[in-house]
Amino acid sequence: MRVAIMQPYFLPYIGYFQLIAAADLFIVYDNIKYTKKGWINRNRMLLNDGDALFSVPLKNASDQLDVCEREISPQFDAEKLLNQFRGAYRRAPYLRETMALLETIVRHPAVNLFDFLLHSLVQTCAHLGITTPLRRSSDIGIDHALKGQDKVLALCQATGADHYINPIGGLQLYREADFLAKGIALEFLQSRLHPYPQGGGEFVPWLSIVDVMMFTSPASLQAAIRQQFDMTRPTA
């Protein structure tokens, strides 16, 4: 039973979906503090051969609120964002298929930020052929006052995990001995991004999954999600 746990992101990069696909259960943190200037409600797309931010604006609120307590701004213009995608990728070979997905995501009526993001992840996974179930962290019966590694361990134990998978960027966050003491193997996923034709100048890496979907055939993208990464164990 392989479990992965992450906070929600808006149309994240391919490594996020590789992590979902590599797990038997993917837990999405909803009761975790919203962080400014991260990737929770924004990401990067290709525009004029460079990267450009796109985002979903939020209603003004306290910085202490969890993701599940934040709301999307009433000024959010879904059609404006969709037109930004259409303009940026107007010559992309898979524009039609990708825009059909983006219309379903961006026009979703949820006002709650987490509900909007979870719907986005579920829809994108279905589009990519990823069948891993996604669960809200708050639906799992643990002490949710726990933090960091202790919370991860509690979630793993509550869901029967014998493997915990984390992105390679979190290598220093966890102690392998603590996981092994609970009968859980600790693994880290490192994505290997192979450059793909973006229809212009020099390749711009690690953009939103939107960019990969616009320029990559469904079969090639599904193969990349399942094959273009390395799984490693912590080193002593």
Side-chain angles (χ1 to χ4, degrees):
M1 177 65 172
R2 288 181 153 189
V3 170
I5 309 168
M6 287 289 289
Q7 60 187 3
Y9 293 129
F10 184 46
L11 297 168
Y13 82 124
I14 189 173
Y16 193 102
F17 293 98
Q18 289 173 326
L19 187 68
I20 298 177
D24 299 307
L25 173 66
F26 190 79
I27 299 172
V28 190
Y29 277 129
D30 59 343
N31 52 355
I32 193 170
K33 184 179 175 182
Y34 171 80
T35 53
K36 287 184 175 181
K37 298 182 180 179
W39 302 107
I40 291 177
N41 60 307
R42 64 177 189 165
N43 218 291
R44 299 184 306 142
M45 64 179 170
L46 188 71
L47 182 64
N48 299 326
D49 297 331
D51 66 294
L53 283 173
F54 62 86
S55 65
V56 174
L58 302 184
K59 186 177 179 179
N60 289 335
S62 168
D63 291 341
Q64 302 306 311
L65 294 181
D66 287 344
V67 174
C68 62
E69 298 174 306
R70 297 302 303 264
E71 293 186 352
I72 295 172
S73 170
Q75 279 71 52
F76 172 49
D77 189 336
E79 299 309 312
K80 180 179 178 180
L81 179 56
L82 289 170
N83 285 334
Q84 287 175 338
F85 285 129
R86 290 190 190 97
Y89 292 103
R90 60 190 180 278
R91 296 187 179 90
Y94 299 97
L95 174 67
R96 181 180 59 81
E97 301 93 323
T98 307
M99 283 307 307
L101 170 66
L102 292 176
E103 288 165 6
T104 299
I105 288 171
V106 176
R107 289 174 178 158
H108 187 61
V111 173
N112 179 272
L113 174 62
F114 183 82
D115 290 345
F116 183 88
L117 296 175
L118 182 62
H119 174 264
S120 171
L121 291 173
V122 169
Q123 293 297 316
T124 306
C125 283
H127 183 80
L128 298 174
I130 299 171
T131 59
T132 304
L134 276 61
R135 288 186 66 183
R136 296 170 181 254
S137 59
S138 64
D139 287 344
I140 300 171
I142 66 163
D143 177 1
H144 287 281
L146 294 170
K147 304 292 183 183
Q149 177 179 286
D150 291 336
K151 190 168 188 176
V152 168
L153 283 168
L155 288 168
C156 286
Q157 288 185 285
T159 54
D162 54 23
H163 285 73
Y164 174 63
I165 312 171
N166 199 77
I168 194 69
L171 190 61
Q172 305 303 319
L173 298 178
Y174 304 109
R175 284 171 44 84
E176 183 180 30
D178 294 340
F179 282 81
L180 293 177
K182 304 290 187 182
I184 302 168
L186 180 60
E187 298 178 295
F188 292 89
L189 184 148
Q190 183 166 22
S191 183
R192 287 185 279 106
L193 182 64
H194 294 186
Y196 50 89
Q198 289 176 320
E202 186 176 348
F203 180 68
V204 182
W206 307 120
L207 300 178
S208 163
I209 191 67
V210 171
D211 191 76
V212 192
M213 292 189 295
M214 287 287 188
F215 290 111
T216 310
S217 72
S220 296
L221 180 49
Q222 289 186 22
I225 286 171
R226 288 167 173 76
Q227 298 171 14
Q228 291 180 16
F229 63 85
D230 298 307
M231 200 75 77
T232 63
R233 299 285 295 273
T235 55

